[in-house]
Amino acid sequence: MSRLRTFITARKTSWIVLVAALLAAGAIFAAGSGNAEGALPGVGLPDSAESAQAAAAAENLPGADSTVALLVYTRDGAELTDADVAAITTATGTLADLSAEGFVPPPSFSDDGTTALVTVPLDKLSEAGEQAERADAIRAEANADLPDGLSALLSGPEGFAVDIAAVFEGADFTLLLTTVIVVAVLLLVTYRSPWLWLVPLVVVGTADGLAGIVAARVAALAGIQLDASVTGILSVLVFGAGTNYALLLIARYRDELRLVEDRREAMSRALRGAGPAIIASGSTVVLALLTLVFAELQGNRALGIACATGVVIAMIFALVVLPAALVLFGRGLFWPYIPRFGTEGSAERGVWHKLGVLVSKKPVVVAVLGAIVLGALSLGVPQIKIGLSQTESFTQVPEAVQGQELIADAFPAGSGSPASVIVNSDYAEQTAAAAEGVAGVSAVRIGESTDTITQLSVVLDDAAETEGSFAAIEALRAELSTIDGANALVGGLDAQALDVERAQQSDQDLVIPLILGLVFIVLVLLLRSLVAPILLLLTVVASFFASLGASWLLFQSVFDFPAIDTNVVLFSFLFLVALGVDYNIFLVTRARE
């Protein structure tokens, strides 16, 4: 290892490291990720899930390549006038040109006469830009020449798809820009130098760009495409982990500059001291992330593969590229607080020294106070509500959600997202009759059919992705499974959401113990102790519960979130425990040294 450290830091070879890194980065950037730009988060259910089986079976139906847009006409709750009804009927006829079938069914009017619902059959589009253009055309046509006060809102599957795409449009850039600004401010505050922060920021930023490309290539080998939610988390993780490693290395380098006159020798010694801690902590995070490859949901597997790849790249850049870049500059890089050879550091003064003295003199008092604070913050955990419906997933209410709420108020709440039941054609009528008798079912309609299978559209009484709709789906599955030979499969939005919730819970039950076990083994091997790893694990687990509880208090009191998404608990545990162990490893290895 000493030869490698010398090669990275020596005057004649550090340039080789940087040039080689630059060439490799250029080649990777030129090759690209091969990932579809702007891919949206998918469902990612395993093939064994009933809703996934229903969706796969539905691909054989004549309308498999079609979708629908729901247009909701309303006059702000007032009863529609005769002129309104005439205008809506006329608009329905003009919308036929945009329909996949060249025909739009007549509008449906609510019993109270306040709302009209028009269903527009459409072909599925895979390109978000084309989908948005078509949605604009539908909105314009639907709202053309309407009486004053009457308006049409685009909702249904097409409306939600367009609004979700709009949310993710530019989200990666916004998230990346925010991350860069936060990291830059933290580096400025930490180093109090006008230019030192630029070196780690450029190195980590390059690592982030490469991580996105390499991670997409690695995930493709497993047949997984990275979506916008994964790439966003990947950037934050690479910047966070990379900055962690840079802070540790530069702090050690600054200390060594006071002890060694040659800055290259100082960097070599800094690498010898900080390198093992960075490798140990990074490896812990990588192993924890790789536990997600055993998850059922493809999104969880994608996150594990992508982020593990990103952390490996962050480690390589922190241990190879960053040292070579830093030694190009003299001690003046730390100006105005230049670490001169032979001068005293700040380890024996300042707020951190005082805190260290307090902890070492009164460890029991500090531990008790820490436990009280963490326990108090954890009080919010039992009150956490998990599971956001589609309409609750937006921080601002888009048009699709407004339309869905109007549908729920004026029609059976599940009209906008009926369940889809696939059944053997010979049993279609028997199954439909059985479904009509299930509690929570409002109406059943026999839809498209082939020689072998038939699709039933089942409207539920309750709104989509609520406890009532989930209960109806479970009751529907239980009832239809008793019809021998029907081979009924219950799918649709609610069934899909229910299966995702169950799969996420299964992933949590599997992955969380795996993470704890792996982290414990790594700590035992690193520290060669049994007591210390247990204490370190307890501290990060306690911080996880405290963070989750404090977050829920913020979500409720400040952001007014009704619940948290199903993957928040697992992702929080993964990052808070795996990355929290990072700091424990840094601290304990330094203390032992």
Side-chain angles (χ1 to χ4, degrees):
M1 292 299 291
S2 61
R3 290 184 179 180
L4 179 60
R5 293 198 306 271
T6 301
F7 187 85
I8 293 171
T9 59
R11 184 184 303 275
K12 294 182 179 179
T13 53
S14 60
W15 283 97
I16 298 176
V17 172
L18 291 176
V19 171
L22 184 62
L23 292 175
I28 293 173
F29 281 124
S33 66
N35 204 45
E37 294 294 330
L40 298 178
V43 178
L45 279 168
D47 294 338
S48 58
E50 185 170 340
S51 60
Q53 294 179 40
E59 292 294 323
N60 298 314
L61 292 170
D65 294 329
S66 64
T67 183
V68 296
L70 298 182
L71 289 167
V72 187
Y73 287 86
T74 180
R75 185 177 281 280
D76 292 331
E79 188 172 350
L80 300 175
T81 65
D82 292 339
D84 293 339
V85 173
I88 294 169
T89 303
T90 301
T92 301
T94 60
L95 285 166
D97 293 337
L98 299 173
S99 169
E101 301 175 0
F103 168 76
V104 174
S108 300
F109 293 92
S110 62
D111 292 339
D112 60 6
T114 62
T115 309
L117 186 62
V118 175
T119 302
V120 183
L122 299 170
D123 290 324
K124 286 184 179 178
L125 295 177
S126 58
E127 212 284 315
E130 293 180 3
Q131 198 174 35
E133 289 178 5
R134 184 173 67 181
D136 290 340
I138 292 173
R139 290 190 183 104
E141 192 67 46
N143 285 280
D145 301 323
L146 294 181
D148 291 340
L150 180 66
S151 62
L153 300 175
L154 178 64
S155 188
E158 185 73 2
F160 275 100
V162 171
D163 285 343
I164 290 173
V167 168
F168 279 92
E169 185 179 359
D172 275 359
F173 175 77
T174 303
L175 188 59
L176 178 61
L177 179 63
T178 305
T179 303
V180 169
I181 292 173
V182 170
V183 169
V185 171
L186 289 174
L187 291 173
L188 272 168
V189 171
T190 301
Y191 296 130
R192 293 172 292 174
S193 169
W195 41 67
L196 171 60
W197 62 279
L198 288 170
V199 179
L201 188 64
V202 169
V203 171
V204 175
T206 305
D208 171 62
L210 291 176
I213 296 173
V214 176
R217 293 286 184 179
V218 173
L221 297 177
I224 296 174
Q225 184 179 19
L226 303 186
D227 59 52
S229 64
V230 172
T231 54
I233 294 174
L234 173 62
S235 282
V236 174
L237 181 63
V238 171
F239 262 97
T243 304
N244 270 349
Y245 306 147
L247 287 170
L248 180 65
L249 178 66
I250 294 174
R252 191 61 176 259
Y253 177 46
R254 184 165 48 189
D255 289 343
E256 296 295 343
L257 284 172
R258 294 189 173 94
L259 303 174
V260 181
E261 190 168 5
D262 182 5
R263 70 173 186 276
R264 297 179 182 273
E265 175 61 23
M267 178 57 78
S268 179
R269 292 175 61 169
L271 267 177
R272 183 179 60 192
I278 292 174
I279 292 173
S281 61
S283 300
T284 304
V285 177
V286 169
L287 289 173
L289 288 164
L290 288 178
T291 60
L292 289 176
V293 300
F294 300 106
E296 289 186 26
L297 292 174
Q298 181 174 294
N300 289 343
R301 296 198 300 275
L303 184 75
I305 294 171
C307 290
T309 304
V311 172
V312 170
I313 293 174
M315 281 197 295
I316 293 173
F317 269 70
L319 293 171
V320 178
V321 181
L322 181 60
L326 287 171
V327 294
L328 290 180
F329 306 94
R331 297 170 188 266
L333 185 64
F334 289 86
W335 185 88
Y337 300 96
I338 300 175
R340 304 288 185 186
F341 173 60
T343 59
E344 182 182 351
S346 59
E348 301 304 322
R349 62 179 187 274
V351 65
W352 299 115
H353 174 68
K354 294 176 182 177
L355 179 60
V357 170
L358 174 64
V359 172
S360 63
K361 286 185 175 181
K362 298 182 178 181
V364 175
V365 174
V366 173
V368 170
L369 288 175
I372 291 173
V373 171
L374 292 175
L377 292 175
S378 302
L379 292 176
V381 172
Q383 282 77 46
I384 292 177
K385 295 179 181 178
I386 298 175
L388 286 169
S389 69
Q390 194 175 48
T391 57
E392 294 170 336
S393 299
F394 299 88
T395 54
Q396 296 180 345
V397 183
E399 184 176 332
V401 172
Q402 296 176 42
Q404 187 67 31
E405 291 174 346
L406 289 171
I407 294 172
D409 290 338
F411 297 90
S415 299
S417 56
S420 172
V421 178
I422 305 297
V423 63
N424 289 341
S425 294
D426 293 339
Y427 293 84
E429 293 186 2
Q430 181 183 351
T431 305
E436 287 177 344
V438 173
V441 171
S442 174
V444 179
R445 181 180 63 84
I446 297 178
E448 294 182 325
S449 180
T450 67
D451 293 338
T452 56
I453 61 172
T454 297
Q455 184 180 49
L456 308 181
S457 178
V458 181
V459 177
L460 305 180
D461 289 329
D462 292 279
E465 298 180 67
T466 59
E467 291 184 6
S469 65
F470 287 160
I473 292 295
E474 290 179 327
L476 194 61
R477 285 176 170 174
E479 177 64 27
L480 301 187
S481 66
T482 63
I483 305 176
D484 292 333
N487 297 328
L489 297 171
V490 180
L493 177 64
D494 292 300
Q496 189 180 85
L498 179 61
D499 289 341
V500 167
E501 186 178 287
R502 288 175 172 173
Q504 189 68 45
Q505 185 61 52
S506 175
D507 288 350
Q508 282 181 208
D509 295 341
L510 173 67
V511 171
I512 287 178
L514 281 177
I515 293 174
L516 288 174
L518 278 173
V519 170
F520 179 73
I521 291 171
V522 170
L523 290 175
V524 168
L525 294 175
L526 177 67
L527 303 177
R528 285 166 288 181
S529 165
L530 289 177
V531 177
I534 293 174
L535 290 175
L536 297 184
L537 267 184
L538 286 176
T539 61
V540 292
V541 170
S543 73
F544 159 72
F545 283 109
S547 299
L548 203 60
S551 298
W552 178 245
L553 293 176
L554 283 174
F555 292 159
Q556 279 197 310
S557 60
V558 178
F559 302 110
D560 195 28
F561 290 172
I564 60 175
D565 200 33
T566 53
N567 57 17
V568 168
V569 173
L570 177 59
F571 289 177
S572 297
F573 187 88
L574 173 67
F575 293 121
L576 289 171
V577 171
L579 290 175
V581 168
D582 258 14
Y583 307 118
N584 281 346
I585 290 175
F586 294 161
L587 185 63
V588 171
T589 52
R590 185 64 164 160
R592 187 173 60 180
E593 183 181 335

